[in-house]
Amino acid sequence: GLGLVQGDKTMLEQLINKADGMIPDEDKYMPDHWQELVDALAAAKDVMADGDAMEEDIQPVAEALLNAILAQRFKADKSILDDLINKAEGINLDGYTAESVATFRTALANAQAVMADNSLSEDDQATVDDAVAALTAAMDGLTAGGAPETTDKPEATDKPETSQKPEATQKPENKVPQTGDNSGLMLWLTAGLASLGGAVSVFLKKKRQ
């Protein structure tokens, strides 16, 4: 033979394994450079399968595959945002103040826009986290006191007042003799007897005349 030595494919094999592990998770990666990875992986596998591949054959494809792997960016993690939006969309907004509902709707619309933005990578995670924080705060900030509640409140407060007032005024009148201590009761009886005695004596005087 010519004494040519096959190139070392150890690094290439490791890179292929790494790239192969990424392929099933395509939906987690940004689409921008994904095709580069697919193409570089295919080229690397061709060289890997070539038993006669020399170092100068291996080096370029290994480098291309490494660069393609490094170029990949995870999409921003929107799992929490997704769950939160689903919860928010299920909230019945009846009975909350207009102001708190307006804040909530703004935060929800922003969260939905962030959710739909496929250009956000892991580098933009703060944008997603901010949307989560704003929507969470808006959900917590929903304040009771909308139209249905304010119309009920006067009725609720009027009823006890009107029903209690007559009772409150009647009770003392009916129960004067029974309220207070014994001395109060004695005073009442004495006063009653005195007036009764006075009336009897006047009556008797008139009769005598």
Side-chain angles (χ1 to χ4, degrees), residues 68-133:
I69 289 171
L70 294 176
Q72 302 312 310
R73 282 282 175 276
F74 278 112
K75 292 177 181 176
D77 182 0
K78 298 179 182 177
S79 53
I80 294 172
L81 182 63
D82 192 24
D83 289 343
L84 197 63
I85 288 172
N86 288 334
K87 283 180 191 170
E89 288 173 342
I91 293 175
N92 182 352
L93 297 174
D94 292 344
Y96 292 110
T97 61
E99 188 180 356
S100 65
V101 168
T103 302
F104 168 80
R105 284 190 168 137
T106 301
L108 178 57
N110 177 60
Q112 289 167 331
V114 170
M115 191 70 206
D117 187 352
N118 291 324
S119 71
L120 298 176
S121 75
E122 57 190 332
D123 300 331
D124 306 303
Q125 188 63 44
T127 302
V128 179
D129 295 344
D130 287 347
V132 168

